[in-house]
Amino acid sequence: MKKGKFKIILLIVIALVFISSGFIYLGITLNKKSEPLVVTKTLLEEVFPKITRFFAFSDLANSDSFSCNFDIKIENNTSNATSLTANYKLLRNITAKITPYEANISFLQDEKEKRALLEAKENLSNGPLNSSLLIENATSYYKVEDYTETYINNGSSNYFENASSKNIFDNINYLMELYFNSFIANLKEEYFTKYPTTTIVNEKEEKVNRISLKLTNDILEKIQKDIYRDLKKNIVFTSLVSNTSFFSLEDNASITLNIYVDRVFSKIRKIELVNLIGEDESKISYEANDKMLLYIVNNDKIEEYIKVKNKEITIYDANNKSIGQVAIKNTKSKAINIYLNDLDNYFEFVYESQSDKNENRKLLSLNLRVKNIDIINFLFNVNSECTKKANIIENTEDSILQSSLDKDIRNKLNNIKDSRFLRLID
């Protein structure tokens, strides 16, 4: 064989090797990106920061020493009804588990002196309860008015040694991030299914792969146990999460996240959130197209859809009649207002967050009326005010050990079930 022809053949072989290797690498990459766990994590990791930035607590106390006062009010009234769609049933079941609560809470922290004081004035079902939680000299103390005459030494505290931030608001935001990161980390391939199918996107049928994450109560319990295990590793938040009531579903219910991706590049074409209670199915469906449409479907029937046009978000019924609006304000003051009113349903969701220097207000209300029956009346309202100075003057010289606390008093405290404060000292 002549050298010229040999060189040409050699170049062709080398080129084919590089090209085939490139396709193999591309195939591996596409396959990896199309794995259900990877696709779902990528989607959630893209959405979560946008949500948390909107709902995050403002930085009101960026100081070594600060004092914050919170007025908290939770009102809740839920009624039963047989003619609810699955989405409304889910909302009712979630809000029904939230007990009413009203309190004034003061939190003072001095980073240099390693001292912190939490004071709570709670309005409980059996009357007011005034309590204090003090951290001093790496020791935790608590006092409950009308129950303990002095501070009770509750053992050592690593709060300042393990605090993720000097700022209570940063800690709250950090806790939300911990929950999310732990949730993502504890998703397993076995929770997912993937199979080829067809779906309608932009009024056309497309061949896609459907990736599904189905959350039943059993799977939620597994994930939440894993989350709890992760959060227990962070000593700062141990007391906050040890008695947390995690989200749960009814035994005959499930929530499924469906992600439809094209079969070549795994590009997301459609997202569905399916809520199934018994045989009653509701879902919210978002299509990745230029029309910006969000569909609300009950038992395979489109009942409402949301359309974005010229920065206006309008809700329509199946007959293309305007029945509500969505207003979103994302400036210094942030707000979401969703209003829907048709022949049978009245639904209103309001979220407001206002910050002005060292003051912050957060309000969340949810109202649902079906066929003139009030199903949900829920209000969560927090007003906070902070100053960059903490004056902590508490006397612990006559404190007693927790083990020395009278047994009858301990039993009485244990019988107060609706105090958020007492959960911190368990």
Side-chain angles (χ1 to χ4, degrees):
M1 182 180 294
K2 294 182 179 180
K3 291 183 179 180
K5 288 186 177 181
F6 177 79
K7 289 181 179 179
I8 293 173
I9 294 173
L10 182 61
L11 288 174
I12 292 173
V13 171
I14 294 172
L16 287 173
V17 169
F18 273 104
I19 292 171
S20 60
S21 299
F23 275 113
I24 291 171
Y25 172 77
L26 180 61
I28 293 172
T29 304
L30 290 177
N31 182 58
K32 184 177 180 181
K33 287 185 177 180
S34 66
E35 290 176 0
L37 185 57
V38 175
V39 172
T40 305
K41 282 186 175 181
T42 302
L43 173 64
L44 295 177
E45 287 170 351
E46 182 179 343
V47 172
F48 178 77
K50 296 177 182 178
I51 295 175
T52 52
R53 278 197 297 268
F54 193 93
F55 291 98
F57 281 81
S58 301
D59 182 7
L60 301 180
N62 188 15
S63 174
D64 288 337
S65 177
F66 64 86
S67 173
C68 293
N69 191 73
F70 303 88
D71 281 312
I72 302 172
K73 188 172 185 179
I74 300 175
E75 294 179 350
N76 189 15
N77 180 27
T78 60
S79 302
N80 209 341
T82 57
S83 59
L84 293 179
T85 64
N87 284 335
Y88 286 159
K89 285 180 182 177
L90 179 64
L91 285 175
R92 184 200 60 197
N93 294 343
I94 292 173
T95 54
K97 297 174 183 177
I98 303 174
T99 56
Y101 185 67
E102 186 174 353
N104 177 273
I105 296 175
S106 175
F107 183 73
L108 296 82
Q109 180 172 305
D110 191 328
E111 173 73 18
K112 292 181 179 179
E113 298 295 329
K114 306 300 181 185
R115 303 183 80 198
L117 176 65
L118 175 69
E119 296 179 313
K121 297 179 180 179
E122 301 174 291
N123 291 324
L124 307 179
S125 57
N126 60 341
L129 184 72
N130 299 333
S131 314
S132 302
L133 176 64
L134 174 69
I135 297 174
E136 183 180 58
N137 297 324
T139 304
S140 172
Y141 303 86
Y142 72 88
K143 182 168 61 177
V144 183
E145 191 176 287
D146 298 329
Y147 291 89
T148 65
E149 296 181 358
T150 64
Y151 268 108
I152 309 302
N153 186 325
N154 203 29
S156 62
S157 171
N158 295 314
Y159 174 78
F160 285 101
E161 287 73 14
N162 294 278
S164 62
S165 170
K166 301 173 184 177
N167 192 327
I168 182 175
F169 297 98
D170 284 346
N171 281 335
I172 293 172
N173 295 331
Y174 179 56
L175 181 58
M176 291 192 294
E177 187 175 338
L178 280 179
Y179 269 91
F180 174 75
N181 289 337
S182 181
F183 174 79
I184 289 290
N186 289 297
L187 290 177
K188 298 179 175 63
E189 288 285 357
E190 63 195 69
Y191 300 154
F192 293 85
T193 59
K194 175 186 174 182
Y195 57 87
T197 185
T198 59
T199 190
I200 302 297
V201 179
N202 201 15
E203 300 178 352
K204 294 180 180 179
E205 187 176 81
E206 292 189 12
K207 293 181 179 180
V208 295
N209 288 325
R210 189 176 101 168
I211 297 169
S212 297
L213 169 62
K214 185 176 182 179
L215 298 176
T216 61
N217 204 40
D218 289 341
I219 293 178
L220 277 174
E221 285 183 1
K222 291 179 183 178
I223 295 174
Q224 288 169 170
K225 285 180 180 178
D226 291 335
I227 292 174
Y228 175 71
R229 181 201 62 223
D230 290 345
L231 296 182
K232 286 281 286 185
K233 297 175 184 176
N234 191 309
I235 299 176
V236 176
F237 301 111
T238 297
S239 60
L240 295 179
V241 303
S242 59
N243 290 291
T244 300
S245 297
F246 287 110
F247 177 73
S248 61
L249 296 172
E250 304 299 326
D251 291 336
N252 65 337
S254 65
I255 296 177
T256 303
L257 174 65
N258 291 327
I259 304 173
Y260 297 88
V261 298
D262 71 65
R263 297 181 184 179
V264 180
F265 297 105
S266 295
K267 183 179 179 181
I268 295 177
R269 302 297 296 142
K270 186 175 178 178
I271 303 170
E272 287 180 345
L273 193 62
V274 183
N275 175 31
L276 182 65
I277 299 179
E279 296 181 355
D280 187 12
E281 181 187 79
S282 293
K283 61 184 174 183
I284 300 174
S285 176
Y286 170 75
E287 294 184 4
N289 56 55
D290 297 334
K291 292 186 177 181
M292 289 290 289
L293 292 177
L294 191 73
Y295 295 99
I296 301 171
V297 182
N298 291 307
N299 295 319
D300 292 327
K301 179 183 177 183
I302 297 176
E303 294 199 350
E304 296 95 19
Y305 66 94
I306 301 173
K307 186 176 182 179
V308 181
K309 185 177 181 181
N310 298 327
K311 297 183 179 181
E312 291 186 358
I313 308 173
T314 308
I315 306 173
Y316 297 89
D317 63 14
N319 297 318
N320 301 317
K321 178 184 177 182
S322 174
I323 57 172
Q325 287 187 328
V326 180
I328 300 175
K329 183 180 181 181
N330 190 8
T331 55
K332 186 176 181 180
S333 296
K334 299 180 180 182
I336 300 175
N337 190 305
I338 302 174
Y339 168 84
L340 185 153
N341 190 15
D342 60 15
L343 293 176
D344 295 324
N345 304 316
Y346 171 83
F347 174 80
E348 185 177 29
F349 172 88
V350 177
Y351 169 80
E352 295 177 358
S353 177
Q354 297 178 349
S355 300
D356 183 16
K357 294 182 180 179
N358 290 328
E359 296 182 6
N360 182 273
R361 175 176 180 263
K362 284 189 180 291
L363 179 144
L364 188 152
S365 70
L366 179 64
N367 294 283
L368 172 64
R369 188 168 63 248
V370 178
K371 295 182 179 179
N372 296 320
I373 300 175
D374 288 326
I375 305 300
I376 301 174
N377 289 298
F378 176 78
L379 172 68
F380 173 76
N381 192 14
V382 178
N383 290 290
S384 59
E385 183 177 353
C386 293
T387 58
K388 293 184 178 181
K389 186 177 181 181
N391 187 21
I392 304 174
I393 303 175
E394 296 293 309
N395 181 21
T396 59
E397 292 181 358
D398 56 351
S399 65
I400 65 172
L401 294 174
Q402 169 72 11
S403 58
S404 302
L405 184 62
D406 185 84
K407 185 177 180 181
D408 290 338
I409 294 177
R410 267 186 281 180
N411 290 334
K412 288 179 181 179
L413 291 176
N414 289 333
N415 289 329
I416 303 175
K417 302 299 183 183
D418 50 350
S419 170
R420 269 50 167 192
F421 171 85
L422 293 179
R423 295 180 185 178
L424 297 175
I425 62 175
D426 283 347

